[in-house]
Every structure is written in C-alpha cells, then in structure tokens.
Amino acid sequence: MLSRKATAILLVVHAAAMLASQTEGFVPIFTYGEVQRMQEKERYKGQKKSLSVQQRSEEVGPADPAEPREDKQEVIKLTAPVEIGMRMNSRQLEKYQATLEGLLRKVLPSSQNAQ
C-alpha cells in the first residue's frame, strides 16, 4: 500500500488537474512592463507624427493669417468589409449563448437598416 503522505500528494495533484481542466485560463503573451514600453513607443510615434504634420503645416501656412486654424482629428474609414471571429468550445458556447444572441440582436438590425 501507499503511504498516507504519497496518497495525500496524489490526491492534491488529482484535484489540481481537475480544477485546471475546468477553468478557462488566460496566459498573457506580454508582461506588464513590455505592454507599458509598447504604449510609450506608440505615444512617442504619435507625438513625433503630430510634430512633423505641424511643421509641414507651418511651412505651408494658413490661407488667411487672421483666420484661426482648427486642428481636426484624422478619421480612418474602411472601404472593405471587416470580419471579426472568435473560437469557442461547446461548453463556452452554452455558457455565453444568451449573451451572444443579445449582442447579435442589437448589431444585426442596425446593420440591416444601414444597407
């Protein structure tokens, strides 16, 4: 027979394996520090881009110097349809089915009215 200690260890390992199979875990790809560095780089790129745009607009100058300039934000419009997908197993689908149906009901009538 196995000793009590070995039996207890096997029981704990089995319980941990059962819990791990039931949870929907998330493993981050990037660490918090890496995400912060990437955000800082994006901000720096945005500042650098806005400075170069500002310098170009200063070189050209406004049409009427007495007229104040308005800074407009750049809007990106998609010309092709965009498809977003997600994968779910049957257990996740059962769990989130009502929520997904509600979201689809909200989105589909608005997109059908636009067409």
Side-chain angles (χ1 to χ4, degrees):
M1 291 282 292
L2 292 174
S3 68
R4 287 185 178 205
K5 198 175 203 179
T7 306
I9 290 173
L10 286 174
L11 184 62
V12 168
V13 168
H14 179 69
M18 294 283 288
L19 283 172
S21 68
Q22 294 296 318
T23 59
E24 298 171 13
F26 172 73
V27 179
I29 297 171
F30 301 107
T31 63
Y32 181 71
E34 290 173 332
V35 171
Q36 280 186 326
R37 272 187 254 122
M38 286 189 288
Q39 288 174 344
E40 288 174 9
K41 284 182 183 179
E42 290 296 321
R43 272 189 247 126
Y44 178 71
K45 285 181 184 177
Q47 289 173 351
K48 193 174 181 181
K49 185 177 179 181
S50 67
L51 284 175
S52 64
V53 169
Q54 185 179 9
Q55 287 172 351
R56 276 190 254 132
S57 64
E58 287 175 357
E59 290 173 1
V60 173
D64 184 10
E67 182 180 312
R69 269 189 1 211
E70 291 183 23
D71 292 330
K72 295 184 180 179
Q73 292 183 351
E74 187 175 319
V75 177
I76 298 173
K77 293 185 179 181
L78 299 175
T79 57
V82 177
E83 185 176 318
I84 299 173
M86 61 190 285
R87 295 181 183 191
M88 297 182 130
N89 60 29
S90 59
R91 185 179 49 170
Q92 291 171 325
L93 181 60
E94 289 172 6
K95 186 175 180 180
Y96 300 113
Q97 183 175 4
T99 306
L100 290 171
E101 285 175 352
L103 288 171
L104 287 173
R105 270 190 234 108
K106 287 180 184 177
V107 171
L108 289 179
S110 64
S111 66
Q112 289 174 351
N113 291 341
Q115 291 178 358

